[in-house]
Amino acid sequence: DARVTQTPRHKVTEMGQEVTMRCQPILGHNTVFWYRQTMMQGLELLAYFRNRAPLDDSGMPKDRFSAEMPDATLATLKIQPSEPRDSAVYFCASGSIPDGLAGVADTQYFGPGTRLTVL
Amino acid sequence: DQQVKQNSPSLSVQEGRISILNCDYTNSMFDYFLWYKKYPAEGPTFLISISSIKDKNEDGRFTVFLNKSAKHLSLHIVPSQPGDSAVYFCAAQNTDKLIFGTGTRLQVFP
């Protein structure tokens, strides 16, 4: 049963500390998305990658957030320094979008999320 | 500015009755819409979708209706079951990204 995995599931840290969240997409999927869930904004897209290349990170606060895909099996989202307003649930999702077919978004498969609390 | 809006944060429905969840969008260029369902401590899972060339799509107890002129879509669940209790997110496709609403929490009581 293929699924997206995320670690850690929960993270409590103090303001100013670095936080790294990890995601393993479903094998064979070529697109990875990072979302943040808040009560006010719902699911906000932070960044996404296709074939490991960053396509859009306009949803991320650039000064403190960074997203990378060191290889096809690992995506990371890093916050440095973290702030209390970053407290949220962060979801990773993966999907399969045929190369060369822009504008086609297959259904996305979400991981269980990382609940981040910054004190 | 929210491009996809779910104005009802919660809905409570009796088991066996119809649940209707609503979603409004602002961008007429959106051409594909999806509903996701989310249980506590889990990620959202895909439920049903509709292309803008259609006005209705049905899958078992779930039907999505699209009114393009009103920029409105709705999800109907008939009959509602206690296991349907979850948060439902509406999403619209923009190029190869999905833009999600804030979600509606549905509670189905016996």
Side-chain angles (χ1 to χ4, degrees):
Chain A
D1 183 23
R3 59 182 66 188
V4 176
T5 58
Q6 289 186 247
T7 57
R9 294 294 310 275
H10 302 272
K11 177 72 176 179
V12 180
T13 191
E14 292 187 346
M15 181 173 63
Q17 297 297 305
E18 177 178 300
V19 175
T20 299
M21 291 168 271
R22 294 176 175 81
C23 166
Q24 182 173 4
I26 292 174
L27 188 65
H29 281 183
N30 66 345
T31 311
V32 173
F33 304 83
W34 281 105
Y35 291 92
R36 174 170 62 184
Q37 183 188 6
T38 63
M39 291 297 292
M40 295 301 295
Q41 297 295 326
L43 281 167
E44 301 174 84
L45 178 65
L46 298 175
Y48 77 102
F49 297 77
R50 185 186 295 186
N51 297 323
R52 295 178 54 202
L55 287 192
D56 188 342
D57 62 0
S58 59
M60 275 194 331
K62 299 291 191 305
D63 55 339
R64 300 183 300 107
F65 283 59
S66 62
E68 296 179 348
M69 272 201 83
D71 61 61
T73 64
L74 177 64
T76 62
L77 179 66
K78 187 176 296 185
I79 308 174
Q80 168 61 19
S82 57
E83 297 181 1
R85 59 178 168 156
D86 301 329
S87 298
V89 181
Y90 291 81
F91 289 102
C92 172
S94 71
S96 183
I97 299 178
D99 289 339
L101 288 181
V104 176
D106 199 347
T107 57
Q108 298 178 18
Y109 297 83
F110 283 76
T114 294
R115 180 174 294 276
L116 173 65
T117 303
V118 183
L119 303 174
Chain B
D1 187 27
Q2 284 285 121
Q3 296 188 65
V4 177
K5 300 178 185 179
Q6 294 177 257
N7 292 318
S8 298
S10 63
L11 176 67
S12 187
V13 172
Q14 189 173 28
E15 180 178 5
R17 306 294 288 267
I18 184 171
S19 296
I20 300 177
L21 294 90
N22 294 304
C23 178
D24 296 295
Y25 60 96
T26 58
N27 190 337
S28 58
M29 298 302 290
F30 291 154
D31 59 3
Y32 195 69
F33 303 89
L34 305 89
W35 285 92
Y36 278 76
K37 176 179 179 180
K38 182 185 179 307
Y39 291 118
E42 295 182 10
T45 56
F46 170 73
L47 184 59
I48 192 169
S49 62
I50 188 167
S51 164
S52 60
I53 63 174
K54 295 185 175 181
D55 55 16
K56 176 183 174 181
N57 189 26
E58 192 172 349
D59 183 3
R61 297 185 296 112
F62 302 90
T63 303
V64 56
F65 295 92
L66 176 62
N67 182 335
K68 284 184 293 182
S69 61
K71 297 193 186 70
H72 177 83
L73 64 155
S74 60
L75 174 67
H76 293 210
I77 306 174
V78 182
S80 302
Q81 300 175 353
D84 297 328
S85 298
V87 176
Y88 290 78
F89 288 97
C90 167
Q93 178 179 308
N94 183 5
T95 61
D96 50 6
K97 299 186 294 187
L98 293 180
I99 299 175
F100 285 85
T102 51
T104 296
R105 182 178 300 278
L106 172 67
Q107 184 173 4
V108 180
F109 60 92

